[in-house]
Amino acid sequence: MSNTITQLQWRYATKKFDASKKLSKEKLNVLKQAFNLTATSFGLQTIKLLIVEAAALKETLLPHTYNQKQVVDASHVLVICIQNDILSNDVNAYYKNIENTRATPKNVLQPYKDGLLKMMDKMTVEERQQWSKNQAYIALGNLMTVCALEHIDACPMEGFNPQKYNEILGLEAKGLQSVLLLPVGYRAEDDMFSTLKKVRQPLEETVIEL
């Protein structure tokens, strides 16, 4: 069996973290890089990663996470955020980055930039936000896989009050709003869920080959 599948079988939504174990700077940097390398539609990164480490801040967030202790016991809490809106400046900056990074002539990029600007302009703010939220879920999945490969425990979470998180973390001033949480760290030895067998449908029921 490949190491990748072995690690994905090892992974589970960690219910209890060992609060005494912390991620090293090296491991945390892997997660930062993995987030930044996540595939996004058009390559337009309208998502941000906010990392919460301070114990006092995690305690403040606890009641707004329905008192799920993973938030305080995890080494770090990764908060995946989206921009409040996608502006023409974001698109222009993205294509400027392509131009600088790849030395691609402006005339080659212009039709693609115009097309993306036109597409965004046709969307409502709510539609652009939903578009960004879709990218956030891609990032969550990528981070969870990287965590498994790096032997880092994680627990994906939607159960929290985004408005309170936005307020406490000062996200409005950054033009952001919280969408998803991923507490990361190391499982507690007495977490009974870590030894339970995975419950999955047979491959032939979930994968269709034509």
Side-chain angles (χ1 to χ4, degrees):
M1 185 180 296
S2 76
N3 183 60
T4 298
I5 299 303
T6 298
Q7 286 308 112
L8 289 176
Q9 289 179 335
W10 169 86
R11 183 212 68 78
Y12 76 111
T14 305
K15 299 299 186 290
K16 186 177 182 181
F17 287 93
D18 185 337
S20 69
K21 294 182 179 180
K22 303 298 180 184
L23 294 187
S24 66
K25 289 183 179 179
E26 290 75 20
K27 289 289 188 182
L28 191 59
N29 188 56
V30 169
L31 297 184
K32 292 177 185 178
Q33 294 283 356
F35 176 82
N36 198 45
L37 290 168
T38 292
T40 58
S41 186
F42 292 95
L44 187 64
Q45 296 169 282
T46 60
I47 55 177
K48 305 293 181 193
L49 184 66
L50 190 146
I51 302 173
V52 180
E53 180 180 7
L57 185 52
K58 289 190 290 185
E59 287 286 354
T60 302
L61 294 171
L62 179 61
H64 308 297
T65 324
Y66 305 107
N67 291 311
Q68 297 178 84
K69 289 286 287 182
Q70 294 99 315
V71 170
V72 292
D73 291 337
S75 173
H76 296 75
V77 178
L78 310 185
V79 184
I80 302 177
C81 308
I82 64 168
Q83 295 177 197
N84 288 332
D85 200 1
I86 303 169
L87 307 175
S88 58
N89 285 346
D90 298 314
V91 177
N92 290 330
Y94 168 59
Y95 278 96
K96 184 65 176 176
N97 195 15
I98 296 176
E99 182 185 337
N100 293 337
T101 302
R102 298 177 176 170
T104 307
K106 285 184 179 180
N107 64 302
V108 173
L109 295 174
Q110 194 65 45
Y112 298 99
K113 182 169 76 170
D114 290 344
L116 184 53
L117 285 168
K118 186 177 180 180
M119 187 189 88
M120 291 296 170
D121 188 55
K122 287 182 177 180
M123 293 181 178
T124 64
V125 173
E126 290 75 18
E127 287 172 335
R128 288 192 291 268
Q129 288 177 345
Q130 184 58 54
W131 185 85
S132 288
K133 287 179 182 178
N134 294 342
Q135 316 310 308
Y137 278 91
I138 295 172
L140 177 67
N142 187 42
L143 284 169
M144 289 170 63
T145 299
V146 171
C147 280
L149 295 175
E150 291 290 324
H151 225 72
I152 297 169
D153 287 299
C155 182
M157 298 172 69
E158 293 179 296
F160 71 105
N161 185 324
Q163 289 74 29
K164 283 295 184 179
Y165 264 67
N166 297 346
E167 178 185 328
I168 293 167
L169 300 175
L171 295 181
E172 184 61 37
K174 297 178 175 65
L176 302 172
Q177 54 185 279
S178 55
V179 174
L180 296 163
L181 305 181
L182 187 67
V184 294
Y186 298 101
R187 65 188 66 177
E189 290 185 6
D190 61 348
D191 186 358
M192 61 171 284
F193 292 94
S194 67
T195 58
L196 296 179
K197 289 184 176 181
K198 279 198 181 298
V199 180
R200 294 292 189 273
Q201 295 181 41
L203 273 181
E204 57 269 22
E205 294 186 19
T206 60
V207 178
I208 301 171
E209 296 186 66
L210 303 178

